[in-house]
Amino acid sequence: MVRSSPRWTGSDAALRSLQVAFDVEKQVIDAVRYAAFKNQLSPSDQIRTILGLPCTSKPVRPRLTVSLSDADYDILAERFGLAVDDKRKIKESLHEALINFARQQQAPDGDPPSSP
């Protein structure tokens, strides 16, 4: 019998888990994602909550990600009037653009506006 390293024993349970995918209508996906957003959960944890399963996820730092190609940096540098190689300044400008977007989207009751 091969014994696993103590370093890897914590992942034994994860290796025995199976990911389940659901093919559902867009309305169901939107409802789960919105509930997850409102409850500050991942969509996976929201599904576990709906199904009455425990959620073991630790809170994570909320953040948004986007992948940017060199061509994207070229476009953004031109948009913001910055040097293409100054990626730090471009990221700062993107950060500010997202903040401005959020301010414009904020509804009076604190909830984001509903989709059209």
Side-chain angles (χ1 to χ4, degrees):
M1 172 188 235
V2 177
R3 297 189 59 114
S4 64
S5 163
R7 192 171 119 185
W8 296 99
T9 56
S11 63
D12 288 348
L15 293 173
R16 288 189 292 268
S17 298
L18 296 175
Q19 186 173 22
V20 179
F22 301 96
D23 291 323
V24 293
E25 295 178 7
K26 183 179 178 329
Q27 181 179 4
V28 175
I29 293 170
D30 290 346
V32 170
R33 286 181 177 159
Y34 186 69
F37 166 76
K38 293 278 288 181
N39 296 319
Q40 296 184 354
L41 296 172
S42 68
S44 177
D45 282 345
Q46 182 62 49
I47 292 168
R48 292 185 66 81
T49 299
I50 292 166
L51 300 175
L53 297 171
C55 296
T56 57
S57 294
K58 298 175 190 170
V60 293
R61 177 178 56 156
R63 63 183 183 181
L64 297 170
T65 61
V66 64
S67 298
L68 300 173
S69 68
D70 288 339
D72 294 330
Y73 275 106
D74 291 343
I75 293 167
L76 293 168
E78 184 175 336
R79 175 182 174 196
F80 296 120
L82 300 169
V84 176
D85 61 342
D86 196 349
K87 292 186 177 182
R88 183 185 59 78
K89 275 289 214 192
I90 293 171
K91 288 178 185 177
E92 288 174 5
S93 296
L94 293 175
H95 184 254
E96 193 63 36
L98 289 173
I99 291 169
N100 290 335
F101 171 81
R103 287 181 181 144
Q104 292 171 359
Q105 298 300 309
Q106 198 68 31
D109 61 1
D111 286 337
S114 55
S115 301

